[in-house]
């Protein structure tokens, strides 16, 4: 167990090491306890408009029937820096489910409170109705991940999981429990994130952790997400980084890039128009692995171009992979750089992400 975001979190379970757990998720199915994540509901007649002001992407239209759509998003400060990365699920025009990071809990909840107070005092809320925020305190969140996840979960439910494609959610009956199930996750594999009421979390976790499922800890979670090219807040994202720098422009609706009214829009548009000062990139590093904080240099002039934010030896590829930020113009595929690893320059090559192809189920 290790401290993480104010919680004690499992680094690994029993004698199964992080690399073995990593391979098990890539080849079979693993279960992650991610109940430290912050789960919220937003409801009210103007909830759609509020969340479109709070986040850059447009709210997805609700389908005529479940499954309902989700979208990755970002909370931005007034300068366009990333307060947190989030997932938003639209259940109806006036009801949304939002998941945010445990390490940003205090910052996010204070931001929600202040922005709700501002919104609810405004003309639209006064005319059409206010928005309420419900914190799902102590709710469980379990991530069932891997190529055998769907087969395992299908054996526990009458719901046809083929209808639940990547980025969709539904309330699914699972052995007597009625649970919110989202198809997606943080590993690059097919899988599900399952929200569970506090009184049912232990029972559901036990139900979902029978062979071939293995309980999987933070060690494997970090290596899996980095192979999938996914960011970890606090390492790869922070409040001084815009979504354009982070390679997350795609989360912003195309029409909203030009004219959308959302918090931080001016800073985002400046980077879109003028180009960002730096860009997030993936790298393959020769020799020793480059870890967080390693400096990145131009090979010829030794001008410092940026810094590594995440780096590991990739269990799947057998190569050292890293993610970081470099000066704009040095981010093209195939660009050769040098990285200072323990006072020795190591050759690195800019490589497209994800490092390992994703296998999401899209139907």
């Amino acid at each position: 167990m290790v401290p993480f975001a104010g919680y004690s979190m499992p680094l690994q379970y029993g004698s199964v090491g992080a690399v073995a757990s990593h391979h098990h998720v890539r080849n079979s199915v693993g279960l992650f306890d991610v109940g430290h994540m912050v789960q919220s509901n937003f409801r009210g007649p103007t909830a759609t408009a509020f969340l479109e002001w709070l986040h850059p992407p447009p709210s997805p239209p609700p389908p005529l029937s479940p499954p309902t759509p989700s979208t990755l998003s970002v909370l931005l400060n007034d300068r366009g820096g990333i307060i947190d990365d989030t997932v938003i699920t639209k259940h109806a025009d006036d009801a949304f489910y939002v998941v945010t990071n445990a390490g940003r809990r205090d910052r996010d909840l204070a931001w929600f409170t202040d922005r709700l107070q501002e919104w609810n005092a405004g003309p639209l809320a006064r005319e059409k109705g206010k928005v309420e925020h419900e914190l799902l305190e102590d709710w469980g969140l379990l991530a069932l991940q891997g190529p055998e996840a769907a087969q395992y979960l299908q054996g526990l439910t009458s719901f046809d999981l083929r209808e639940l494609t990547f980025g969709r959610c539904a309330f699914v009956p699972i052995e007597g429990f009625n649970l919110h199930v989202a198809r997606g996750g943080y590993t690059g594999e097919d899988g599900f994130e399952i929200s569970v009421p506090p009184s049912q979390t232990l029972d559901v976790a036990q139900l979902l952790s029978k062979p071939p499922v293995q309980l999987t800890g933070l060690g494997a979670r970090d290596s899996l997400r980095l192979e999938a090219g996914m960011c970890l807040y606090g390492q790869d994202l922070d409040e001084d980084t815009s979504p354009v720098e982070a390679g997350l422009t795609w989360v912003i609706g195309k029409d909203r890039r030009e004219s959308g009214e959302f918090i931080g829009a001016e800073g985002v548009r400046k980077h879109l128009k003028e180009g960002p000062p730096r860009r997030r990139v993936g790298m393959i590093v020769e020799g020793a692995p480059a870890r967080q904080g390693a400096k990145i240099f131009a090979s010829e002039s030794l001008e410092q171009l940026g810094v590594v934010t995440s780096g590991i030896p990739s269990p799947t590829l057998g190569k050292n992979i890293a993610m970081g930020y470099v000066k704009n113009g040095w981010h093209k595929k195939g660009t050769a750089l040098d990285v200072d690893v323990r006072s020795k320059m190591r050759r690195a090559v800019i490589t497209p992400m994800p490092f390992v192809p994703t296998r999401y189920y899209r139907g």
Side-chain angles (χ1 to χ4, degrees):
M1 303 293 284
V2 294
F4 183 83
Y7 289 80
S8 290
M9 296 290 293
L11 191 64
Q12 65 183 60
Y13 287 88
S15 61
V16 181
V19 172
S21 290
H22 176 109
H23 288 310
H24 191 80
V25 172
R26 283 273 179 259
N27 296 299
S28 183
V29 54
L31 184 71
F32 299 82
D33 175 6
V34 287
H36 59 299
M37 304 289 280
V38 183
Q39 302 175 70
S40 296
N41 286 323
F42 289 87
R43 297 189 188 92
T46 56
T48 294
F50 170 70
L51 287 171
E52 288 183 350
W53 174 61
L54 200 65
H55 298 82
S59 171
L64 296 176
S65 60
T68 54
S70 293
T71 182
L72 178 70
S73 185
V74 284
L75 285 172
L76 301 179
N77 60 29
D78 293 328
R79 296 176 285 108
I82 300 172
I83 296 174
D84 202 359
D85 55 317
T86 73
V87 175
I88 305 174
T89 299
K90 184 171 188 176
H91 288 157
D93 278 334
D94 61 353
F96 294 81
Y97 167 70
V98 177
V99 179
T100 51
N101 285 301
R104 301 297 285 167
R105 179 187 176 99
D106 292 344
R107 174 70 165 115
D108 291 346
L109 293 182
W111 185 256
F112 289 153
T113 298
D114 291 346
R115 300 290 76 77
L116 273 169
Q117 187 175 14
E118 183 180 351
W119 178 264
N120 286 334
L124 189 62
R126 287 201 305 269
E127 178 188 350
K128 296 189 175 180
K130 295 182 178 181
V131 179
E132 296 180 350
H133 173 224
E134 176 193 14
L135 179 63
L136 299 176
E137 196 70 87
D138 296 327
W139 277 54
L141 193 62
L142 300 166
L144 189 70
Q145 298 283 296
E148 296 181 6
Q151 181 181 351
Y152 182 86
L153 189 61
Q154 190 65 77
L156 302 174
T157 180
S158 59
F159 185 98
D160 186 353
L161 294 175
R162 291 174 297 182
E163 297 178 12
L164 199 65
T165 53
F166 177 75
R168 296 271 168 170
C169 311
F171 284 92
V172 174
I174 300 174
E175 294 285 289
F177 303 99
N178 188 40
L179 303 174
H180 185 272
V181 176
R183 196 152 198 165
Y186 201 50
T187 63
E189 296 294 334
D190 185 23
F192 307 87
E193 293 197 339
I194 303 167
S195 178
V196 193
S199 64
Q200 300 173 1
T201 302
L202 182 58
D203 290 338
V204 173
Q206 289 173 335
L207 180 66
L208 295 175
S209 58
K210 297 171 184 176
V213 179
Q214 282 185 1
L215 294 171
T216 313
L218 281 182
R221 182 170 165 82
D222 192 54
S223 57
L224 288 160
R225 69 90 189 169
L226 186 49
E227 287 186 347
M230 295 181 178
C231 297
L232 177 63
Y233 195 94
Q235 287 187 202
D236 311 304
L237 303 173
D238 58 35
E239 291 209 38
D240 294 319
T241 302
S242 79
V244 184
E245 291 175 305
L248 296 175
T249 305
W250 60 271
V251 308
I252 306 172
K254 290 183 180 179
D255 57 330
R256 311 233 320 139
R257 296 175 199 175
E258 296 291 331
S259 58
E261 294 298 324
F262 57 88
I263 296 170
E266 185 177 341
V268 168
R269 289 196 185 108
K270 179 178 172 64
H271 280 186
L272 285 171
K273 183 178 180 181
E274 301 174 7
R278 58 195 184 125
R279 292 181 184 270
R280 180 171 65 94
V281 295
M283 293 167 281
I284 301 289
V285 183
E286 295 179 4
R291 304 290 187 176
Q292 181 186 13
K295 295 177 180 178
I296 304 169
F297 296 90
S299 298
E300 300 289 331
S301 65
L302 293 185
E303 171 195 1
Q304 186 177 345
L305 301 175
V307 66
V308 170
T309 54
S310 293
I312 57 163
S314 163
T316 303
L317 300 177
K319 300 176 181 179
N320 299 316
I321 62 173
M323 182 189 296
Y325 286 84
V326 297
K327 193 176 188 179
N328 196 12
W330 291 83
H331 62 284
K332 300 297 185 348
K333 174 186 175 182
T335 301
L337 305 167
D338 284 335
V339 181
D340 184 351
V341 181
R342 297 194 293 274
S343 300
K344 185 173 182 178
M345 289 298 182
R346 303 283 185 176
R347 178 55 56 97
V349 177
I350 302 290
T351 305
M353 294 183 286
F355 298 102
V356 174
T358 56
R359 295 193 285 186
Y360 304 128
Y361 174 73
R362 301 186 186 274

